[in-house]
Amino acid sequence: GLLRSMPDDIRVWTERLRKLTLQVVEEIRSWRKACGENSSSAPLALPSILSHSESISLPKNAQQPLPFMHMGQNYLLKILSDLDTFPPHLLPLGVKSFRRNPFLLFLNVDDLYNSPSKLIKADDTMSEMEMLRVRRACGVLLAEEAHYPNSSAHY
């Protein structure tokens, strides 16, 4: 696969960044649950990973989820654009763009979430479970963006 053919340092950096980003998104979701937002009523309840026809629109009667703030920024929104300014010559092999691509896969968050069949083929170094976790995390990030459409993570 593409990732396996990269130089070791780039491959290790790419895999590590992907795993850490995934862990951060999952930990923020766990933090929210611990703060009292149960998954049945929280706006960030994840759509089924088996059905890509479901919407991430938020229930009208849902409580506002607690944003995880770091240095004055909603960190889930910041994650979406963290790598946007990286120079293109640093792109790992097979990755088309850093834009909205915090998991450093060949598709960005939007495409990964909306094209689950492509996700399964995205990277042969990831287990199927890891790929499903990435897709779930994409849903969390997109739901956060939908819930805070006028927020800016960088300004």
Side-chain angles (χ1 to χ4, degrees):
L2 291 174
L3 192 59
R4 291 185 200 274
S5 64
M6 284 185 217
D8 283 344
D9 57 337
I10 295 173
R11 183 182 46 75
V12 169
W13 175 82
T14 300
E15 289 173 359
R16 182 162 170 76
L17 184 59
R18 179 182 305 136
K19 287 179 182 182
L20 290 171
T21 301
L22 180 58
Q23 183 178 358
V24 165
V25 173
E26 290 173 339
E27 291 294 329
I28 291 172
R29 187 163 191 278
S30 294
W31 169 78
R32 281 183 166 160
K33 282 184 174 184
C35 290
E37 294 180 12
N38 72 45
S39 61
S40 65
S41 64
L44 293 181
L46 296 175
S48 165
I49 59 173
L50 301 175
S51 170
H52 54 291
S53 62
E54 293 184 49
S55 171
I56 59 168
S57 63
L58 303 168
K60 290 181 178 22
N61 61 350
Q63 290 180 310
Q64 176 120 341
L66 293 172
F68 184 87
M69 302 300 287
H70 177 70
M71 297 181 70
Q73 299 176 356
N74 180 328
Y75 200 67
L76 288 177
L77 294 178
K78 184 179 181 319
I79 286 173
L80 281 169
S81 59
D82 265 351
L83 302 179
D84 286 3
T85 59
F86 272 42
H89 70 275
L90 294 178
L91 280 169
L93 186 63
V95 176
K96 297 175 185 169
S97 172
F98 284 119
R99 188 177 181 294
R100 294 177 62 82
N101 194 354
F103 300 106
L104 291 172
L105 292 169
F106 78 103
L107 296 172
N108 67 21
V109 167
D110 308 282
D111 293 335
L112 284 171
Y113 184 77
N114 292 313
S115 305
S117 61
K118 291 181 183 177
L119 178 59
I120 300 303
K121 301 171 191 166
D123 188 330
D124 62 359
T125 65
M126 294 172 63
S127 71
E128 186 174 334
M129 181 56 76
E130 284 177 297
M131 288 185 260
L132 292 173
R133 286 175 57 213
V134 166
R135 181 161 184 268
R136 208 177 274 137
C138 290
V140 170
L141 295 172
L142 292 172
E144 187 77 7
E145 188 175 57
H147 194 78
Y148 295 102
N150 298 320
S151 297
S152 175
H154 289 286
Y155 304 112

